[in-house]
Amino acid sequence: MIRKLLIAGIFVFFVNVIVAQRFDAGLIAGFNTSQVEGDTFKGYHQAGILAGLFVQTDVAPAILAGMEIKYSQKGSRRKFDPKQPDVDKYGMRLGYIDLPLFMGFRTNDNSMIIGGIAPGILIHSKETNSDGEIPEQDRQDFNRFDLQPFVGFQFDFLERASVDLRFALSVIPCSDKSETNYYFHNGLFNNVISLALYYNLGNLR
C-alpha cells in the first residue's frame, strides 16, 4: 500500500512540474559518507558517490518544489583496528536509485533550507571482509525498497551552481538482521550525510 501511494505521489508531482509555466533542470554530482544504524560499527566510514538529475519549480515567492533521480551509494565499514587484530574487517556497499521529492524554503537570495523524502530501489549490493568479497550465498538478504526522510541546506556560490548538504535516515530497514535493538525495531537502517554540487541548466520551458 505504501509503495503504491508513493508511486502515485511521484507521478502526480511529475505531471504538475511538467505542466507548470516554468521549471528548471540540472545536474547533480557529489559523494556520501554513511553508516548503518543497528550494526556495531560507529562512524561514517563508508564513502560512496552520488550522481543524477533534478527538476524544480517555484510554487511561491520564497518556496520551491522539486524532484530528483540519482544513483546513490550507501553502506557501512568496520576498519582494521591494530588494538584488536583478531577482529575481521567488514564492508557493506549498497547502490540505490533514489527518487527524492523536496521542498525548498529560501532564507535569502543565496541559500535555502531543504526537506523531503527519498524513496529508493536497491540495484546492487556487496559485502567484503579480510578475505575479499563475501560469496553471494553467504551474504545477508537486503530489502529492495528504501525510504529516507531528509533535511538539508543549499547555498548558491555561483549564478548557476550550488552546494547541497543533507542528512538522511531510513525509516525502512535495509536488512532485517541487527545486532542492536535501540532503533525503531530490530533491523539495519541507512544513515547518510551527502555533499553535492548542483548545476542549474536553466529554464527548459
Side-chain angles (χ1 to χ4, degrees):
M1 184 64 179
I2 294 177
R3 295 187 188 186
K4 291 181 179 179
L5 290 174
L6 285 170
I7 292 172
I10 291 171
F11 177 77
V12 170
F13 180 86
F14 184 74
V15 170
N16 287 337
V17 169
I18 292 298
V19 300
Q21 280 190 329
R22 179 184 184 277
F23 67 95
D24 294 335
L27 307 175
I28 306 168
F31 67 91
N32 295 326
T33 177
S34 62
Q35 62 180 354
V36 169
E37 300 292 337
D39 64 17
T40 58
F41 319 143
K42 295 182 179 180
Y44 295 89
H45 299 310
Q46 181 65 281
I49 63 172
L50 65 87
L53 306 169
F54 72 88
V55 293
Q56 62 187 36
T57 185
D58 292 329
V59 296
I63 301 175
L64 61 81
M67 71 174 296
E68 302 167 358
I69 179 169
K70 60 187 178 183
Y71 171 71
S72 180
Q73 291 182 338
K74 309 169 189 179
S76 70
R77 180 174 298 276
R78 177 172 57 197
K79 294 184 176 181
F80 174 75
D81 186 351
K83 297 180 180 179
Q84 297 179 302
D86 296 331
V87 177
D88 197 11
K89 292 192 298 183
Y90 174 78
M92 176 200 301
R93 185 177 295 280
L94 307 175
Y96 291 87
I97 296 296
D98 285 343
L99 296 169
L101 304 175
F102 65 88
M103 298 289 289
F105 305 89
R106 294 188 179 91
T107 56
N108 56 50
D109 291 340
N110 297 318
S111 62
M112 64 180 173
I113 297 171
I114 289 178
I117 191 164
I121 300 296
L122 181 69
I123 58 173
H124 67 80
S125 63
K126 180 179 180 180
E127 292 180 281
T128 59
N129 57 24
S130 298
D131 297 323
E133 186 172 350
I134 297 174
E136 184 175 356
Q137 64 271 18
D138 296 328
R139 300 177 198 166
Q140 59 183 302
D141 292 327
F142 293 103
N143 297 326
R144 292 290 306 279
F145 186 69
D146 188 30
L147 186 64
Q148 288 193 310
F150 63 87
V151 294
F153 177 81
Q154 193 170 107
F155 177 75
D156 302 331
F157 64 93
L158 293 174
E159 182 179 357
R160 291 184 177 270
S162 305
V163 61
D164 183 285
L165 177 66
R166 297 185 189 180
F167 171 78
L169 181 61
S170 294
V171 294
I172 294 178
C174 62
S175 172
D176 295 327
K177 177 182 177 181
S178 177
E179 298 181 26
T180 68
N181 59 4
Y182 62 88
Y183 197 47
F184 293 145
H185 52 76
N186 288 340
L188 302 179
F189 297 81
N190 288 311
N191 183 337
V192 182
I193 296 175
S194 63
L195 182 66
L197 176 68
Y198 281 59
Y199 185 78
N200 195 328
L201 298 174
N203 186 1
L204 299 185
R205 185 179 176 87

